Amino acid sequence: MNLAAIAPSRQTWSMFVIFVRRELTDRYLGSVSSAGWALLAPLAMLAIYGYVFGQIFKVRFPEADEVGFLGYLALGMWPWFAFSESVSRAITAIKDNAALVHKTALPHEIFVYSTTIAVFLTHLAGYAVVLLVLALMGKPLFWLMLPMVLYFMLLLLLLTLGIGLIVAALNVFLNDMEHAIPLVLTMWFFATPILYSPSLIPDNLVTFLELNPIAYIVVSIREVMLGGEWKPNWIDGLALVLSVGVLMFGRWFFKRCSPRFEDFL
C-alpha cells in the first residue's frame, strides 16, 4: 500500500487547521460572551437535570451515593454533549460549505472533520471545567484515571466522525435528515444510562444496552473515575474495533457519495 497516496497533503492539513480555527472563532470564540456561553449552556443543562432528577424526583441509586447524583450525572453527560452536538453539526457540514464544494478541489470530508473536532475541543474544555468544579467540591473521584477518560473520549470521537460522515453525506440527498437525526438522538439519549444507573435496567433490556456503544463509553468513564481501576476484556477490544470500523465505513460511504455532491447542492 502506498501510504503517500492516502496520507493528507500539507495543503489539506493546513486547510483543516484553518477550518477548525474558523469553527471555533465563528461559533464559540468570536466574543467573550459566545466563549462563555459555549461552556455555560451545558453547565446550565447539567444544573437543570441535576435539580429536576436529583431534588424534585429524588433519583437515588447505590452507584451515586458517594459522588452524589450531580457528580454521577456530570461524568456521563459531557461525553453525550460532545457526541450529540457533533453529529447535529455534522449533518449540515457539506451544505453549509456548498460554495467551497463547488470551487475547491479539497477533499469534502475535511468540512465534517473540522466541524466535529471543533465541537469536541469545546466540550473537552467544558469537561475540564466540570471536573475542576467536582474537585473543588471534594467529590471522591480517582483523578489518576483521567488518561483513561481521554482514551474513551478518543473512541467516542472516532465513532462520532464515522457517524458524522454518514449523516453529512445523506443530508445532501435527503433533506429530511435534518429533522430525523434530532429525534433519533433524543431516543438514543434516553436509551443511554446517563440519567440513571445500568443496574435499574430490566433484565430483558440488558441486551439492548450492551449494543449501545455510547452506553459502553459512559459506563466505562464512570467505572474508572468512581472505581479507580480498569480491567480490560474482550468487550473493550470490540469497542475499539467498532469505533475504528464505523469511522472506516463512514469514510468509504462518504467517498462513494462525494462525487455526486455538486449535482445536488
Side-chain angles (χ1 to χ4, degrees), residues 143-211:
W143 303 105
L144 292 179
M145 300 303 291
L146 283 177
M148 290 306 307
V149 174
L150 293 178
Y151 167 72
F152 291 122
M153 290 299 287
L154 176 60
L155 293 185
L156 181 62
L157 175 59
L158 298 178
L159 182 70
T160 306
L161 286 171
I163 295 175
L165 288 167
I166 295 170
V167 298
L170 288 175
N171 191 50
V172 175
F173 311 112
L174 304 172
N175 291 329
D176 290 341
M177 291 297 295
E178 295 183 34
H179 307 289
I181 294 301
L183 178 60
V184 171
L185 288 173
T186 298
M187 294 188 293
W188 200 338
F189 171 74
F190 287 105
T192 304
I194 297 173
L195 299 175
Y196 54 88
S197 165
S199 63
L200 300 178
I201 297 176
D203 293 340
N204 60 331
L205 297 179
V206 170
T207 300
F208 294 98
L209 176 67
E210 294 174 346
L211 295 175

Side-chain angles (χ1 to χ4, degrees), residues 68-174:
F69 180 75
L70 188 62
Y72 186 86
L73 179 63
L75 290 174
M77 186 70 81
W78 244 262
W80 175 261
F81 282 146
F83 170 73
S84 61
E85 186 177 347
S86 294
V87 172
S88 299
R89 290 278 295 112
I91 297 174
T92 59
I94 302 301
K95 286 188 174 181
D96 290 344
N97 293 280
L100 292 174
V101 171
H102 284 287
K103 295 178 181 179
T104 67
L106 288 171
H108 299 152
E109 61 264 30
I110 193 174
F111 304 118
V112 180
Y113 292 152
S114 58
T115 297
T116 302
I117 290 177
V119 172
F120 249 78
L121 289 175
T122 303
H123 283 294
L124 278 178
Y127 209 2
V129 172
V130 168
L131 293 176
L132 177 61
V133 170
L134 293 179
L136 294 175
M137 293 173 64
K139 298 297 183 181
L141 301 177
F142 290 85
W143 303 105
L144 292 179
M145 300 303 291
L146 283 177
M148 290 306 307
V149 174
L150 293 178
Y151 167 72
F152 291 122
M153 290 299 287
L154 176 60
L155 293 185
L156 181 62
L157 175 59
L158 298 178
L159 182 70
T160 306
L161 286 171
I163 295 175
L165 288 167
I166 295 170
V167 298
L170 288 175
N171 191 50
V172 175
F173 311 112
L174 304 172

